[in-house]
Structure formats: C-alpha cells, structure tokens
Amino acid sequence: MADIDSILSRLHAFKLDHLDIPCLTQTAADFDEIRSIYAHPEIVPLAIIRPTTLEDVQSVVRLLSSSGIEFTIRSGGHDMHGRSMKQDVIVLDMRLIKNVTINTPPPPDQDVPTATVGGGILIGDLIPHLQLHGYATPVGSVPSVGYVGWAMYGGYGGYSAHYGLGVDQIVGARIVNARGELVEADAELLQGIRGAGGAFGVIVEMTVRIYKVDRILAGMIMYQSDDLATVIPEYNNAYQSLAAGGLPPALSVQQGVLNAPTPTFTVLFFWSSRDLDEGYAWLERIKGLGPCVASTVHQTTPQEVLDEVDQHFAKTTKGRMWTISMRKITPEVAGVIAQYTSKMPDDPHILFDMHQLRASSPSARANDDSVFSAREPHFAFEINTIVKDEAKLEMTLAWGEAFRDALRTTGAGNIMPVGYLSFMREEDIDHSAAFGKNLSFLRYLKQKHDPNHVFKAAISYL
C-alpha cells in the first residue's frame, strides 16, 4: 500500500488527465455530503472517485490496480458494517452510473422481459424507470439501497415469494476486471456473481428479469403490544396454521418490532397480484392473526411504496446489525423474540424484523447456476442495533448481541448453517458453511479473475 502523500500525488495527476471524472478529496466543498453513508458516518475515506461511464471505471481501475492503491466500491452505501468505505482509503463510487434500458422484445433464451441497469443504480431510482413501462422487479423496501449489491448476495423483499430473490433475477453482467478490461460475464462468472458478489471485478452493468406489475396492496399492520410475550407467540402459531393450508405467491408478510414509540409488533403486508379483491381477503386473514389495532394497507404502486418508506426511514444512523437464520419460528424462538423485543432500548432507530423465503418461492429450490446456498425455506433475522442518540449505542449493541446469542441457544437443528452474508461481518462468516461444495469453485474463480486480490474489499474466498 502506497503512503498517503504518494496516493494523493497520483490522484492529482489522474485528475489532470481525466477532467471529466469527478475526484473529490477531503477538502472538497461537497465531500462530506457525497461520503455520507447509512450506518457509519464516522468513516472518512481519503478520496472519492465518481465515474460516469463504463470507460471511466476502466480508467480508474487501471490507475488503482497498477499503483497498488487500496480501494472500496460503493453502489449504495447501506451496508450495515460499513464495507463500502474504509478509513483513509479510496472509494470508487458507482452511483452516477444509473442507466436503465428495457430490453424488448425479450432475448430468445429468456421467458420474461429483461432490463439492463447501471452498476450504481439505487432501488429508488430503478423502480420509477421500470414503472414508466409498467414493469417492476424484486427489490428491497428501502429506496436508498444500491440495487446491484442487494441482488448479488441474495436480495430478500416483498416480491420474493412471487418471483424469487433478487439473486435469481440476474441473467447477465458486465464487469471491469483487475486489469481494467470490460468483460461480458460468461456462465461460470455469472454463477459466482449470483450469490458471491463483487469479488471478481466491478459490476458496471447487470441484466435482470422484470415483470408486469402496476397496482399492488401494501402497508403496515400493527397489533396490540402491551404483552409481547403473548402476542408474538400467538401470532406465529396462527400464521403457521394459516400457512399450512397454502399461501398465494403474491402474498408477503414481514413481521417485526419497532419503537412506535414503545416496542410495537408489526407486520409489513405486501400483495403483488392484480387481483386486489383476493388481496383484501388475505389482508383480513392476516389482520385476524392477532389483536390488530391499526392498518395502513392500501392500493398503491411499487414506486409509491418506496416513496412512503423514504419519508420515514432515517437517512443516516450509527450502529451495526446482528443476524441469524432459522428454518421455523418455533415456540422457543418466538419466546426469545418476545423476551428481547420487550426490552428493546427506546431509541427510535432500533428495529427488529425478519425476511422469509417460503417453500413456494422460485428461489426455494436447488440452482446450479448460482452459489447462493440458502435455498430451503427459512427466516433471516435482522437485529438492527442502530441509534439516533449515540449515547445509547453501547447498550444497544450489547442488547443486540445478547438477543442474537439467545437465539443461538435454541434448537440447533432449526438454525441454518449460514446467515445472510449482507447482514454479517466478514469475521463472522464461516465460508465453508456459507458455500459448501461451491467454496472450491469460488476460490478457483477468484484466482482466475483476481489473482492479485485487487478487489479485497469484497467478501473474500481465499
């Protein structure tokens, strides 16, 4: 790693030769605004380079790679462990590369239409573009999340039961490799990208499946929460009984607890079929699974759902995430959830929720074209130990870790061998458990495409 003065000198020379590529150092007037990320505002990179074209990315990677300059890649900046930035390290900020092209008609080998999107597009920018043509694609619920990073490692959300996870929408990709070459991903490289992310190069474009979606039902159901020890187990017992009879693919329910302003049990309801009458019927069934006190569920659009979340979601916070994945919400697990959410610290940013991959989802089956391994039905827990009041951070982190550890003591056979990589710190990842038989393939792929470990900021398989 070159010293800071040497790096800055090389950046200055690069700027003079590439005046059209924004390159911000710490003295730039808008540096703090551009560097702002979600959960780690304390991280201050050495400089931020913001390419606007694929050729720009090639030029930047050639500079950084040939000079041995360490860098990170940012698509959205929502990583809960701050991996899109590193203190006093260069950031390759992809967010100005946000093109969207609807590919019509669909390619002969594709059963649904596709769109090609820029490697830095945010979910909140992607969906409005698709909606102009009557389409949507599986996304998460927070518009400021980078789409490509969200999709590559799994990609849970309200569309998962209907169309599958984000990772299974990827049908093509273009990357800039460690030599600065623009490469069309072949089947082998796509297999690695689907589930193992950006360790092999900078994803500058991705082609994904899209679907006709216009009017949907979405909103939050709130249940009486003065006795979570009763409400949470009873809801989960009733939900499992309802699910045993079969749930329609268009239905997604995501349960959680948030401070509103005291710990409140909620369910995010999402219905993605055009048959809204059936959706309303299922809404009544879900409301009836507990003592419902309020509901904001209404007819809306995929874009409006993101706009509504954006109004209420914190733009920046401080903290981290704990996670674990469970096959079922057993009475023992529900009891632990109730116990710890009842004692949730009182900061408004703290949140607990869980994503579900249902058995009916297209993603809940073996897929040899992807290294994403969490293919059996499960719940991925998010214990967001994030705070508005920094004075509460230490106690909140301790609460979150104790919560995760208590879940670990429940029935071992119910715990998935791997959690959701996007929610995990690098040091907490057991790569053998995460990728199993695919780990040797990933190591081969890494050696083939990035033998000098240029893309070291991504999750490593070495």
Side-chain angles (χ1 to χ4, degrees), residues 66-144:
S66 64
S67 304
I69 297 173
E70 184 179 357
F71 65 99
T72 63
I73 300 169
R74 175 177 185 172
S75 60
H78 234 275
D79 180 78
M80 292 297 296
H81 304 291
R83 283 172 287 212
S84 63
M85 285 191 185
K86 189 174 179 180
Q87 187 70 30
D88 294 327
V89 167
I90 304 297
V91 178
L92 174 53
D93 184 351
M94 293 290 293
R95 289 176 296 164
L96 297 181
I97 300 180
K98 52 184 180 179
N99 53 290
V100 180
T101 302
I102 306 294
N103 301 316
T104 53
D109 60 339
Q110 299 298 329
D111 54 354
V112 297
T114 64
T116 298
V117 305
I121 196 163
L122 304 182
I123 286 173
D125 293 327
L126 171 59
I127 289 298
H129 278 284
L130 297 181
Q131 287 278 275
L132 289 175
H133 304 275
Y135 290 105
T137 193
V139 292
S141 56
V142 179
S144 54

Side-chain angles (χ1 to χ4, degrees), residues 292-308:
C292 176
V293 295
S295 170
T296 67
V297 178
H298 61 291
Q299 291 189 38
T300 183
T301 67
Q303 179 179 344
E304 289 169 355
V305 169
L306 293 172
D307 291 342
E308 290 171 11

Side-chain angles (χ1 to χ4, degrees), residues 111-435:
D111 54 354
V112 297
T114 64
T116 298
V117 305
I121 196 163
L122 304 182
I123 286 173
D125 293 327
L126 171 59
I127 289 298
H129 278 284
L130 297 181
Q131 287 278 275
L132 289 175
H133 304 275
Y135 290 105
T137 193
V139 292
S141 56
V142 179
S144 54
V145 168
Y147 172 77
V148 168
W150 171 87
M152 287 191 301
Y153 290 104
Y156 297 82
Y159 299 93
S160 297
H162 202 168
Y163 302 117
L165 299 172
V167 70
D168 291 327
Q169 311 312 317
I170 302 170
V171 298
R174 301 175 82 191
I175 77 166
V176 171
N177 66 20
R179 294 181 295 275
E181 300 165 337
L182 183 61
V183 177
E184 193 81 32
D186 59 13
E188 185 180 71
L189 187 52
L190 273 176
Q191 181 184 348
I193 289 171
R194 297 185 186 114
F200 317 107
V202 184
I203 310 295
V204 291
E205 282 189 342
M206 183 174 282
T207 300
V208 298
R209 296 182 176 93
I210 57 177
Y211 306 87
K212 279 291 184 181
V213 180
D214 42 27
R215 302 299 295 180
I216 61 175
L217 297 179
M220 184 170 289
I221 304 168
M222 286 161 278
Y223 297 88
Q224 185 176 332
S225 299
D226 53 354
D227 182 11
L228 293 180
T230 299
V231 171
I232 291 177
E234 286 187 352
Y235 170 89
N236 278 282
N237 183 60
Y239 175 71
Q240 289 179 34
S241 295
L242 182 65
L247 301 176
L251 174 66
S252 171
V253 289
Q254 181 180 347
Q255 60 176 296
V257 178
L258 51 82
N259 280 319
T262 56
T264 302
F265 181 63
T266 64
V267 167
L268 186 62
F269 181 96
F270 196 92
W271 177 265
S272 55
S273 165
R274 294 181 179 180
D275 188 345
L276 299 185
D277 288 340
E278 184 183 2
Y280 278 117
W282 279 98
L283 171 61
E284 292 306 311
R285 293 186 182 101
I286 299 300
K287 287 167 62 176
L289 299 182
C292 176
V293 295
S295 170
T296 67
V297 178
H298 61 291
Q299 291 189 38
T300 183
T301 67
Q303 179 179 344
E304 289 169 355
V305 169
L306 293 172
D307 291 342
E308 290 171 11
V309 171
D310 197 40
Q311 294 178 24
H312 302 288
F313 203 82
K315 300 299 184 289
T316 185
T317 186
K318 194 170 181 66
R320 59 156 295 178
M321 178 187 291
W322 303 95
T323 188
I324 189 171
S325 292
M326 300 280 195
R327 293 182 170 90
K328 295 180 179 179
I329 309 301
T330 65
E332 182 183 21
V333 171
V336 171
I337 294 171
Q339 176 187 353
Y340 278 86
T341 55
S342 297
K343 300 184 293 185
M344 180 182 286
D346 63 356
D347 190 281
H349 285 189
I350 299 169
L351 169 69
F352 166 76
D353 66 352
M354 61 180 84
H355 300 277
Q356 183 179 10
L357 180 65
R358 296 213 312 262
S360 59
S361 170
S363 292
R365 60 198 66 165
N367 185 347
D368 291 336
D369 294 329
S370 166
V371 298
F372 181 78
S373 61
R375 295 285 178 178
E376 61 181 295
H378 65 274
F379 295 83
F381 290 14
E382 287 187 72
I383 306 171
N384 283 301
T385 49
I386 50 178
V387 294
K388 181 178 182 180
D389 182 357
E390 191 170 347
K392 299 175 182 176
L393 181 58
E394 186 175 346
M395 62 176 277
T396 300
L397 291 173
W399 167 81
E401 184 173 17
F403 189 175
R404 190 278 312 271
D405 289 348
L407 289 167
R408 282 179 167 177
T409 66
T410 61
N414 188 45
I415 299 173
M416 293 281 286
V418 62
Y420 187 28
L421 296 188
S422 292
F423 294 168
M424 301 175 72
R425 297 183 303 174
E426 180 74 21
E427 55 266 37
D428 292 335
I429 298 173
D430 179 341
H431 295 86
S432 295
F435 296 106

